[in-house]
Amino acid sequence: MSGELYSQLIGAAAGTLLLSAVMVVWRRSLSVDLRLLAVQGVALGVLVAVMALHEGDPLLLLVALMVLVLKAVVLPVALARGMAATQADHERAPLLNPTASLLACVGLAGLAYVVSAPLASSGDDPALRAVPIGVTLVLIGLLTLTTRRRAMSQLIGFVMMDNGIATVALLTAGGVPLVVELGVSLDVLLVVLILLVLTSRMQAAFGGTDLDELKELHD
Protein backbone atom coordinates (compact mmCIF):
# COMPACT_ATOMS: atom_id res chain seq x y z
CA MET A 1 0.00 0.00 0.00
CA SER A 2 1.45 3.37 -1.03
CA GLY A 3 1.95 6.09 1.58
CA GLU A 4 -0.51 8.41 -0.12
CA LEU A 5 -3.26 5.78 -0.27
CA TYR A 6 -2.61 4.86 3.38
CA SER A 7 -2.92 8.51 4.40
CA GLN A 8 -6.16 8.98 2.45
CA LEU A 9 -7.76 5.82 3.85
CA ILE A 10 -6.81 6.74 7.44
CA GLY A 11 -8.24 10.22 6.90
CA ALA A 12 -11.47 8.86 5.37
CA ALA A 13 -12.03 6.37 8.20
CA ALA A 14 -11.28 8.96 10.88
CA GLY A 15 -13.53 11.50 9.17
CA THR A 16 -16.38 8.97 9.10
CA LEU A 17 -15.90 8.34 12.82
CA LEU A 18 -16.14 12.06 13.57
CA LEU A 19 -19.09 12.70 11.24
CA SER A 20 -21.12 9.80 12.65
CA ALA A 21 -20.51 11.05 16.22
CA VAL A 22 -21.68 14.57 15.33
CA MET A 23 -24.77 13.15 13.60
CA VAL A 24 -25.64 11.16 16.75
CA VAL A 25 -25.54 14.39 18.78
CA TRP A 26 -27.65 16.22 16.20
CA ARG A 27 -30.33 13.54 15.77
CA ARG A 28 -32.89 12.59 18.41
CA SER A 29 -34.15 9.36 16.84
CA LEU A 30 -32.62 6.41 18.68
CA SER A 31 -33.07 4.05 15.71
CA VAL A 32 -31.06 6.46 13.53
CA ASP A 33 -28.46 6.77 16.30
CA LEU A 34 -28.04 2.98 16.29
CA ARG A 35 -27.48 2.95 12.52
CA LEU A 36 -24.88 5.69 12.94
CA LEU A 37 -23.27 3.64 15.71
CA ALA A 38 -23.04 0.70 13.27
CA VAL A 39 -21.45 3.01 10.67
CA GLN A 40 -18.99 4.12 13.34
CA GLY A 41 -18.15 0.46 14.02
CA VAL A 42 -17.53 -0.15 10.31
CA ALA A 43 -15.28 2.92 10.12
CA LEU A 44 -13.28 1.75 13.16
CA GLY A 45 -12.93 -1.74 11.68
CA VAL A 46 -11.76 -0.27 8.37
CA LEU A 47 -9.28 1.96 10.21
CA VAL A 48 -7.68 -1.06 11.90
CA ALA A 49 -7.75 -3.07 8.65
CA VAL A 50 -5.92 -0.28 6.81
CA MET A 51 -3.26 -0.17 9.52
CA ALA A 52 -2.94 -3.98 9.37
CA LEU A 53 -2.52 -4.01 5.59
CA HIS A 54 -0.02 -1.14 5.74
CA GLU A 55 2.08 -2.93 8.36
CA GLY A 56 1.52 -6.42 6.91
CA ASP A 57 0.37 -7.67 10.32
CA PRO A 58 -2.06 -10.66 10.08
CA LEU A 59 -2.89 -10.55 13.81
CA LEU A 60 -3.90 -6.91 13.52
CA LEU A 61 -6.15 -7.94 10.64
CA LEU A 62 -7.86 -10.39 13.01
CA VAL A 63 -8.33 -7.51 15.48
CA ALA A 64 -9.94 -5.51 12.65
CA LEU A 65 -12.35 -8.36 11.92
CA MET A 66 -13.23 -8.69 15.60
CA VAL A 67 -13.79 -4.94 15.94
CA LEU A 68 -16.00 -5.00 12.83
CA VAL A 69 -18.16 -7.87 14.11
CA LEU A 70 -18.50 -6.53 17.65
CA LYS A 71 -18.92 -2.80 17.05
CA ALA A 72 -20.74 -2.81 13.71
CA VAL A 73 -23.02 -5.80 14.29
CA VAL A 74 -23.22 -7.26 17.81
CA LEU A 75 -23.47 -4.06 19.89
CA PRO A 76 -25.91 -2.21 17.56
CA VAL A 77 -28.13 -5.32 17.30
CA ALA A 78 -28.10 -5.79 21.09
CA LEU A 79 -28.98 -2.12 21.60
CA ALA A 80 -31.73 -2.34 18.97
CA ARG A 81 -33.31 -5.25 20.84
CA GLY A 82 -33.08 -3.30 24.07
CA MET A 83 -34.71 -0.30 22.38
CA ALA A 84 -37.54 -2.53 21.12
CA ALA A 85 -38.05 -3.87 24.66
CA THR A 86 -38.26 -0.36 26.15
CA GLN A 87 -40.41 0.96 23.27
CA ALA A 88 -38.38 4.19 23.30
CA ASP A 89 -37.43 5.45 19.85
CA HIS A 90 -37.01 9.14 20.53
CA GLU A 91 -35.01 11.35 22.88
CA ARG A 92 -37.74 13.77 23.89
CA ALA A 93 -35.99 16.50 25.85
CA PRO A 94 -32.18 16.37 26.08
CA LEU A 95 -30.48 18.93 28.30
CA LEU A 96 -29.00 20.61 25.18
CA ASN A 97 -30.95 21.38 22.01
CA PRO A 98 -29.42 20.36 18.62
CA THR A 99 -27.88 23.80 17.98
CA ALA A 100 -26.25 23.99 21.40
CA SER A 101 -25.09 20.38 21.04
CA LEU A 102 -23.40 21.09 17.70
CA LEU A 103 -21.70 24.19 19.15
CA ALA A 104 -20.52 22.06 22.07
CA CYS A 105 -19.10 19.54 19.57
CA VAL A 106 -17.12 22.33 17.88
CA GLY A 107 -15.73 23.41 21.25
CA LEU A 108 -14.86 19.84 22.24
CA ALA A 109 -13.14 19.26 18.90
CA GLY A 110 -11.04 22.39 19.47
CA LEU A 111 -10.16 21.22 22.97
CA ALA A 112 -9.22 17.77 21.65
CA TYR A 113 -6.91 19.26 19.02
CA VAL A 114 -5.20 21.49 21.60
CA VAL A 115 -4.73 18.66 24.12
CA SER A 116 -3.45 16.12 21.61
CA ALA A 117 -1.39 18.54 19.48
CA PRO A 118 2.00 17.45 20.95
CA LEU A 119 1.25 13.80 20.16
CA ALA A 120 -0.21 14.52 16.72
CA SER A 121 2.84 16.54 15.72
CA SER A 122 5.39 14.07 17.09
CA GLY A 123 5.73 12.23 13.78
CA ASP A 124 4.77 12.09 10.12
CA ASP A 125 2.57 9.01 10.49
CA PRO A 126 -1.01 9.81 9.29
CA ALA A 127 -2.29 7.65 12.17
CA LEU A 128 -0.79 10.07 14.71
CA ARG A 129 -2.36 13.05 12.94
CA ALA A 130 -5.77 11.39 13.37
CA VAL A 131 -5.42 11.05 17.16
CA PRO A 132 -7.33 14.34 17.86
CA ILE A 133 -10.36 12.79 16.15
CA GLY A 134 -10.24 9.85 18.55
CA VAL A 135 -10.05 12.24 21.52
CA THR A 136 -12.96 14.23 20.06
CA LEU A 137 -14.96 11.01 19.82
CA VAL A 138 -14.36 10.33 23.53
CA LEU A 139 -15.50 13.85 24.47
CA ILE A 140 -18.60 13.72 22.24
CA GLY A 141 -19.51 10.34 23.75
CA LEU A 142 -19.17 11.90 27.22
CA LEU A 143 -21.35 14.82 26.09
CA THR A 144 -24.04 12.40 24.88
CA LEU A 145 -23.80 10.40 28.08
CA THR A 146 -24.31 13.45 30.31
CA THR A 147 -26.90 15.44 28.35
CA ARG A 148 -29.38 12.74 27.30
CA ARG A 149 -32.21 11.71 29.62
CA ARG A 150 -33.14 8.26 28.33
CA ALA A 151 -31.08 5.30 29.51
CA MET A 152 -30.80 3.98 25.94
CA SER A 153 -29.33 7.28 24.71
CA GLN A 154 -26.80 7.20 27.52
CA LEU A 155 -25.83 3.66 26.50
CA ILE A 156 -25.16 4.95 22.99
CA GLY A 157 -22.94 7.67 24.47
CA PHE A 158 -21.09 5.04 26.51
CA VAL A 159 -20.40 2.94 23.40
CA MET A 160 -19.20 6.05 21.52
CA MET A 161 -16.77 6.80 24.35
CA ASP A 162 -15.44 3.25 24.10
CA ASN A 163 -15.08 3.63 20.33
CA GLY A 164 -13.08 6.83 20.92
CA ILE A 165 -10.81 5.19 23.50
CA ALA A 166 -10.22 2.25 21.14
CA THR A 167 -9.45 4.66 18.29
CA VAL A 168 -6.86 6.57 20.35
CA ALA A 169 -5.26 3.33 21.58
CA LEU A 170 -5.03 1.88 18.07
CA LEU A 171 -3.68 5.07 16.50
CA THR A 172 -1.05 5.78 19.15
CA ALA A 173 0.15 2.20 19.68
CA GLY A 174 -0.05 1.15 16.03
CA GLY A 175 -2.52 -1.55 17.00
CA VAL A 176 -3.05 -3.62 20.15
CA PRO A 177 -2.46 -7.33 20.81
CA LEU A 178 -5.35 -9.61 19.87
CA VAL A 179 -5.77 -10.89 23.45
CA VAL A 180 -5.95 -7.37 24.87
CA GLU A 181 -8.53 -6.25 22.30
CA LEU A 182 -10.54 -9.45 22.87
CA GLY A 183 -10.59 -8.87 26.64
CA VAL A 184 -11.57 -5.21 26.36
CA SER A 185 -14.27 -5.95 23.77
CA LEU A 186 -15.82 -8.69 25.88
CA ASP A 187 -15.80 -6.39 28.92
CA VAL A 188 -17.65 -3.69 26.97
CA LEU A 189 -20.13 -6.23 25.59
CA LEU A 190 -20.77 -7.56 29.11
CA VAL A 191 -21.33 -4.05 30.50
CA VAL A 192 -23.74 -3.19 27.67
CA LEU A 193 -25.70 -6.42 28.17
CA ILE A 194 -25.98 -5.81 31.93
CA LEU A 195 -27.16 -2.23 31.36
CA LEU A 196 -29.68 -3.45 28.78
CA VAL A 197 -31.11 -5.90 31.32
CA LEU A 198 -31.36 -3.11 33.90
CA THR A 199 -33.01 -0.81 31.35
CA SER A 200 -35.59 -3.48 30.49
CA ARG A 201 -36.35 -3.98 34.18
CA MET A 202 -36.74 -0.21 34.64
CA GLN A 203 -39.20 -0.16 31.74
CA ALA A 204 -41.16 -3.07 33.22
CA ALA A 205 -41.21 -1.62 36.74
CA PHE A 206 -41.78 2.09 36.06
CA GLY A 207 -43.14 2.19 32.50
CA GLY A 208 -40.27 4.36 31.20
CA THR A 209 -36.51 4.89 31.15
CA ASP A 210 -36.37 8.67 31.46
CA LEU A 211 -33.90 9.08 34.34
CA ASP A 212 -35.22 12.52 35.35
CA GLU A 213 -38.74 11.14 35.71
CA LEU A 214 -37.40 8.27 37.81
CA LYS A 215 -35.62 10.77 40.09
CA GLU A 216 -38.93 12.58 40.56
CA LEU A 217 -40.55 9.27 41.54
CA HIS A 218 -37.77 8.75 44.08
CA ASP A 219 -38.30 12.23 45.56
Side-chain angles (χ1 to χ4, degrees):
M1 182 182 294
S2 68
E4 184 178 357
L5 179 60
Y6 172 63
S7 177
Q8 290 178 354
L9 290 175
I10 290 289
T16 304
L17 283 169
L18 180 60
L19 181 61
S20 59
V22 173
M23 291 289 288
V24 167
V25 171
W26 178 47
R27 302 285 301 190
R28 292 187 181 183
S29 168
L30 298 183
S31 57
V32 173
D33 288 352
L34 291 181
R35 294 190 190 99
L36 290 168
L37 206 59
V39 170
Q40 202 170 89
V42 172
L44 185 54
V46 169
L47 180 70
V48 184
V50 170
M51 295 174 66
L53 293 174
H54 181 69
E55 297 174 10
D57 187 345
L59 287 180
L60 192 55
L61 203 56
L62 283 178
V63 172
L65 180 61
M66 190 172 62
V67 167
L68 191 65
V69 171
L70 177 68
K71 295 185 179 295
V73 180
V74 176
L75 285 177
V77 168
L79 289 171
R81 291 188 175 181
M83 187 184 70
T86 58
Q87 301 176 346
D89 187 33
H90 198 74
E91 179 68 33
R92 286 183 300 179
L95 295 180
L96 295 179
N97 61 40
T99 303
S101 298
L102 291 177
L103 289 174
C105 286
V106 173
L108 293 175
L111 175 63
Y113 273 84
V114 170
V115 169
S116 53
L119 183 59
S121 59
S122 62
D124 295 331
D125 192 339
L128 289 177
R129 292 200 294 271
V131 168
I133 292 181
V135 178
T136 304
L137 202 59
V138 175
L139 296 176
I140 291 178
L142 182 62
L143 175 71
T144 305
L145 184 63
T146 54
T147 60
R148 297 292 179 93
R149 297 176 189 272
R150 286 195 180 279
M152 190 58 62
S153 295
Q154 296 182 348
L155 267 175
I156 292 172
F158 172 75
V159 175
M160 279 206 299
M161 279 185 63
D162 177 67
N163 287 346
I165 292 170
T167 302
V168 173
L170 290 163
L171 291 174
T172 53
V176 295
L178 180 62
V179 175
V180 174
E181 179 58 31
L182 180 62
V184 172
S185 298
L186 290 178
D187 284 346
V188 172
L189 179 60
L190 181 61
V191 169
V192 169
L193 291 177
I194 291 173
L195 292 176
L196 282 174
V197 171
L198 291 176
T199 303
S200 299
R201 289 182 178 272
M202 286 167 54
Q203 175 70 29
F206 305 109
T209 57
D210 188 313
L211 298 185
D212 283 351
E213 292 178 357
L214 295 180
K215 286 178 182 176
E216 291 176 2
L217 286 176
H218 180 270
D219 295 337

mmCIF file of all heavy atoms in Angstrom, residues 9 21 24 32-33 37 59 62 67 76 92 94-95 97 106 134 142 168 170 180-181 211 213 216-217 219:
data_model
loop_
_atom_site.group_PDB
_atom_site.id
_atom_site.type_symbol
_atom_site.label_atom_id
_atom_site.label_comp_id
_atom_site.label_asym_id
_atom_site.label_seq_id
_atom_site.Cartn_x
_atom_site.Cartn_y
_atom_site.Cartn_z
ATOM 1 N N LEU A 9 -6.843 6.762 3.222
ATOM 2 C CA LEU A 9 -7.762 5.820 3.854
ATOM 3 C C LEU A 9 -7.894 6.080 5.357
ATOM 4 O O LEU A 9 -8.996 6.004 5.919
ATOM 5 C CB LEU A 9 -7.296 4.383 3.603
ATOM 6 C CG LEU A 9 -7.437 3.901 2.157
ATOM 7 C CD1 LEU A 9 -6.844 2.503 1.997
ATOM 8 C CD2 LEU A 9 -8.905 3.896 1.740
ATOM 9 N N ALA A 21 -20.326 10.604 14.831
ATOM 10 C CA ALA A 21 -20.512 11.052 16.220
ATOM 11 C C ALA A 21 -21.303 12.361 16.266
ATOM 12 O O ALA A 21 -22.210 12.532 17.087
ATOM 13 C CB ALA A 21 -19.153 11.222 16.901
ATOM 14 N N VAL A 24 -24.936 11.720 15.589
ATOM 15 C CA VAL A 24 -25.644 11.162 16.746
ATOM 16 C C VAL A 24 -26.089 12.279 17.687
ATOM 17 O O VAL A 24 -27.207 12.280 18.206
ATOM 18 C CB VAL A 24 -24.740 10.153 17.498
ATOM 19 C CG1 VAL A 24 -25.334 9.812 18.861
ATOM 20 C CG2 VAL A 24 -24.579 8.886 16.670
ATOM 21 N N VAL A 32 -32.088 5.873 14.398
ATOM 22 C CA VAL A 32 -31.058 6.461 13.526
ATOM 23 C C VAL A 32 -29.703 6.465 14.233
ATOM 24 O O VAL A 32 -28.662 6.185 13.619
ATOM 25 C CB VAL A 32 -31.461 7.893 13.121
ATOM 26 C CG1 VAL A 32 -30.328 8.577 12.354
ATOM 27 C CG2 VAL A 32 -32.725 7.871 12.274
ATOM 28 N N ASP A 33 -29.720 6.779 15.528
ATOM 29 C CA ASP A 33 -28.462 6.766 16.297
ATOM 30 C C ASP A 33 -27.802 5.390 16.254
ATOM 31 O O ASP A 33 -26.571 5.280 16.154
ATOM 32 C CB ASP A 33 -28.734 7.161 17.749
ATOM 33 C CG ASP A 33 -29.052 8.643 17.884
ATOM 34 O OD1 ASP A 33 -28.904 9.369 16.893
ATOM 35 O OD2 ASP A 33 -29.454 9.052 18.983
ATOM 36 N N LEU A 37 -24.223 4.376 14.876
ATOM 37 C CA LEU A 37 -23.270 3.636 15.711
ATOM 38 C C LEU A 37 -22.681 2.454 14.927
ATOM 39 O O LEU A 37 -21.486 2.148 15.051
ATOM 40 C CB LEU A 37 -23.976 3.138 16.965
ATOM 41 C CG LEU A 37 -23.124 2.898 18.216
ATOM 42 C CD1 LEU A 37 -22.425 4.179 18.639
ATOM 43 C CD2 LEU A 37 -23.978 2.350 19.339
ATOM 44 N N LEU A 59 -2.166 -10.580 12.538
ATOM 45 C CA LEU A 59 -2.886 -10.554 13.813
ATOM 46 C C LEU A 59 -3.719 -9.276 13.951
ATOM 47 O O LEU A 59 -4.840 -9.301 14.471
ATOM 48 C CB LEU A 59 -1.896 -10.677 14.974
ATOM 49 C CG LEU A 59 -1.269 -12.061 15.168
ATOM 50 C CD1 LEU A 59 -0.310 -12.047 16.355
ATOM 51 C CD2 LEU A 59 -2.357 -13.113 15.393
ATOM 52 N N LEU A 62 -6.866 -9.669 12.198
ATOM 53 C CA LEU A 62 -7.858 -10.386 13.014
ATOM 54 C C LEU A 62 -8.543 -9.438 13.997
ATOM 55 O O LEU A 62 -9.751 -9.536 14.245
ATOM 56 C CB LEU A 62 -7.188 -11.531 13.774
ATOM 57 C CG LEU A 62 -6.871 -12.787 12.971
ATOM 58 C CD1 LEU A 62 -6.161 -13.807 13.861
ATOM 59 C CD2 LEU A 62 -8.148 -13.394 12.405
ATOM 60 N N VAL A 67 -13.204 -6.261 15.705
ATOM 61 C CA VAL A 67 -13.791 -4.937 15.938
ATOM 62 C C VAL A 67 -15.009 -4.737 15.049
ATOM 63 O O VAL A 67 -16.055 -4.231 15.487
ATOM 64 C CB VAL A 67 -12.736 -3.836 15.662
ATOM 65 C CG1 VAL A 67 -13.398 -2.463 15.595
ATOM 66 C CG2 VAL A 67 -11.673 -3.852 16.744
ATOM 67 N N PRO A 76 -24.695 -2.874 18.068
ATOM 68 C CA PRO A 76 -25.909 -2.209 17.557
ATOM 69 C C PRO A 76 -27.142 -3.105 17.588
ATOM 70 O O PRO A 76 -28.245 -2.641 17.908
ATOM 71 C CB PRO A 76 -25.518 -1.835 16.113
ATOM 72 C CG PRO A 76 -24.041 -1.700 16.138
ATOM 73 C CD PRO A 76 -23.584 -2.751 17.083
ATOM 74 N N ARG A 92 -36.751 12.690 23.912
ATOM 75 C CA ARG A 92 -37.739 13.769 23.894
ATOM 76 C C ARG A 92 -37.164 15.125 24.281
ATOM 77 O O ARG A 92 -37.398 16.121 23.627
ATOM 78 C CB ARG A 92 -38.891 13.411 24.842
ATOM 79 C CG ARG A 92 -39.804 12.342 24.314
ATOM 80 C CD ARG A 92 -40.941 12.083 25.257
ATOM 81 N NE ARG A 92 -40.452 11.632 26.571
ATOM 82 C CZ ARG A 92 -41.229 11.356 27.599
ATOM 83 N NH1 ARG A 92 -42.527 11.508 27.488
ATOM 84 N NH2 ARG A 92 -40.728 10.943 28.741
ATOM 85 N N PRO A 94 -33.559 16.370 25.558
ATOM 86 C CA PRO A 94 -32.182 16.367 26.085
ATOM 87 C C PRO A 94 -31.866 17.700 26.746
ATOM 88 O O PRO A 94 -32.540 18.716 26.500
ATOM 89 C CB PRO A 94 -31.337 16.157 24.821
ATOM 90 C CG PRO A 94 -32.192 16.624 23.704
ATOM 91 C CD PRO A 94 -33.604 16.332 24.100
ATOM 92 N N LEU A 95 -30.839 17.710 27.582
ATOM 93 C CA LEU A 95 -30.481 18.932 28.298
ATOM 94 C C LEU A 95 -30.019 20.025 27.346
ATOM 95 O O LEU A 95 -30.162 21.211 27.638
ATOM 96 C CB LEU A 95 -29.377 18.620 29.324
ATOM 97 C CG LEU A 95 -29.775 17.667 30.458
ATOM 98 C CD1 LEU A 95 -28.607 17.445 31.393
ATOM 99 C CD2 LEU A 95 -30.972 18.216 31.219
ATOM 100 N N ASN A 97 -30.263 21.510 23.286
ATOM 101 C CA ASN A 97 -30.955 21.377 22.005
ATOM 102 C C ASN A 97 -29.933 21.098 20.902
ATOM 103 O O ASN A 97 -28.717 21.215 21.128
ATOM 104 C CB ASN A 97 -31.778 22.636 21.707
ATOM 105 C CG ASN A 97 -30.907 23.877 21.617
ATOM 106 O OD1 ASN A 97 -29.815 23.827 21.070
ATOM 107 N ND2 ASN A 97 -31.385 24.977 22.167
ATOM 108 N N VAL A 106 -18.205 21.511 18.445
ATOM 109 C CA VAL A 106 -17.124 22.329 17.882
ATOM 110 C C VAL A 106 -16.106 22.676 18.974
ATOM 111 O O VAL A 106 -14.881 22.576 18.785
ATOM 112 C CB VAL A 106 -17.706 23.611 17.249
ATOM 113 C CG1 VAL A 106 -16.573 24.551 16.816
ATOM 114 C CG2 VAL A 106 -18.585 23.265 16.058
ATOM 115 N N GLY A 134 -9.899 10.846 17.538
ATOM 116 C CA GLY A 134 -10.237 9.846 18.553
ATOM 117 C C GLY A 134 -10.577 10.505 19.887
ATOM 118 O O GLY A 134 -11.544 10.122 20.558
ATOM 119 N N LEU A 142 -18.911 11.423 25.860
ATOM 120 C CA LEU A 142 -19.168 11.901 27.222
ATOM 121 C C LEU A 142 -20.285 12.942 27.223
ATOM 122 O O LEU A 142 -21.149 12.948 28.117
ATOM 123 C CB LEU A 142 -17.881 12.490 27.806
ATOM 124 C CG LEU A 142 -17.968 13.001 29.242
ATOM 125 C CD1 LEU A 142 -18.324 11.876 30.195
ATOM 126 C CD2 LEU A 142 -16.631 13.631 29.653
ATOM 127 N N VAL A 168 -8.102 5.955 19.875
ATOM 128 C CA VAL A 168 -6.856 6.574 20.351
ATOM 129 C C VAL A 168 -5.800 5.505 20.621
ATOM 130 O O VAL A 168 -4.626 5.652 20.240
ATOM 131 C CB VAL A 168 -7.131 7.398 21.627
ATOM 132 C CG1 VAL A 168 -5.821 7.897 22.231
ATOM 133 C CG2 VAL A 168 -8.045 8.577 21.311
ATOM 134 N N LEU A 170 -5.510 2.499 19.310
ATOM 135 C CA LEU A 170 -5.029 1.883 18.069
ATOM 136 C C LEU A 170 -4.114 2.823 17.297
ATOM 137 O O LEU A 170 -3.099 2.405 16.729
ATOM 138 C CB LEU A 170 -6.226 1.478 17.205
ATOM 139 C CG LEU A 170 -7.051 0.294 17.743
ATOM 140 C CD1 LEU A 170 -8.413 0.230 17.071
ATOM 141 C CD2 LEU A 170 -6.291 -0.999 17.518
ATOM 142 N N VAL A 180 -5.530 -8.584 24.161
ATOM 143 C CA VAL A 180 -5.955 -7.370 24.869
ATOM 144 C C VAL A 180 -7.259 -6.841 24.279
ATOM 145 O O VAL A 180 -8.211 -6.514 25.004
ATOM 146 C CB VAL A 180 -4.849 -6.292 24.782
ATOM 147 C CG1 VAL A 180 -5.353 -4.978 25.379
ATOM 148 C CG2 VAL A 180 -3.597 -6.762 25.489
ATOM 149 N N GLU A 181 -7.321 -6.749 22.939
ATOM 150 C CA GLU A 181 -8.534 -6.249 22.301
ATOM 151 C C GLU A 181 -9.717 -7.173 22.586
ATOM 152 O O GLU A 181 -10.834 -6.709 22.820
ATOM 153 C CB GLU A 181 -8.302 -6.135 20.785
ATOM 154 C CG GLU A 181 -9.516 -5.654 20.003
ATOM 155 C CD GLU A 181 -10.029 -4.296 20.447
ATOM 156 O OE1 GLU A 181 -9.203 -3.472 20.891
ATOM 157 O OE2 GLU A 181 -11.249 -4.069 20.375
ATOM 158 N N LEU A 211 -34.522 9.070 33.011
ATOM 159 C CA LEU A 211 -33.904 9.076 34.336
ATOM 160 C C LEU A 211 -34.376 10.245 35.187
ATOM 161 O O LEU A 211 -34.456 10.136 36.412
ATOM 162 C CB LEU A 211 -32.381 9.103 34.179
ATOM 163 C CG LEU A 211 -31.800 7.882 33.460
ATOM 164 C CD1 LEU A 211 -30.285 7.941 33.453
ATOM 165 C CD2 LEU A 211 -32.258 6.593 34.128
ATOM 166 N N GLU A 213 -37.443 11.517 35.173
ATOM 167 C CA GLU A 213 -38.745 11.135 35.713
ATOM 168 C C GLU A 213 -38.589 10.138 36.853
ATOM 169 O O GLU A 213 -39.310 10.186 37.846
ATOM 170 C CB GLU A 213 -39.604 10.531 34.597
ATOM 171 C CG GLU A 213 -40.007 11.547 33.528
ATOM 172 C CD GLU A 213 -40.823 10.894 32.425
ATOM 173 O OE1 GLU A 213 -41.022 9.664 32.478
ATOM 174 O OE2 GLU A 213 -41.233 11.626 31.504
ATOM 175 N N GLU A 216 -37.756 11.951 39.969
ATOM 176 C CA GLU A 216 -38.933 12.578 40.564
ATOM 177 C C GLU A 216 -39.756 11.560 41.347
ATOM 178 O O GLU A 216 -40.283 11.849 42.417
ATOM 179 C CB GLU A 216 -39.788 13.208 39.463
ATOM 180 C CG GLU A 216 -39.123 14.414 38.813
ATOM 181 C CD GLU A 216 -39.943 14.955 37.653
ATOM 182 O OE1 GLU A 216 -41.032 14.405 37.407
ATOM 183 O OE2 GLU A 216 -39.479 15.907 37.003
ATOM 184 N N LEU A 217 -39.849 10.320 40.818
ATOM 185 C CA LEU A 217 -40.547 9.273 41.544
ATOM 186 C C LEU A 217 -39.873 8.985 42.879
ATOM 187 O O LEU A 217 -40.521 8.775 43.908
ATOM 188 C CB LEU A 217 -40.584 7.990 40.693
ATOM 189 C CG LEU A 217 -41.549 7.976 39.510
ATOM 190 C CD1 LEU A 217 -41.381 6.684 38.729
ATOM 191 C CD2 LEU A 217 -42.985 8.121 39.988
ATOM 192 N N ASP A 219 -38.053 11.125 44.641
ATOM 193 C CA ASP A 219 -38.303 12.235 45.560
ATOM 194 C C ASP A 219 -39.738 12.181 46.118
ATOM 195 O O ASP A 219 -39.988 12.494 47.245
ATOM 196 C CB ASP A 219 -38.083 13.562 44.836
ATOM 197 C CG ASP A 219 -36.609 13.716 44.436
ATOM 198 O OD1 ASP A 219 -35.755 13.075 45.074
ATOM 199 O OD2 ASP A 219 -36.346 14.484 43.486
#
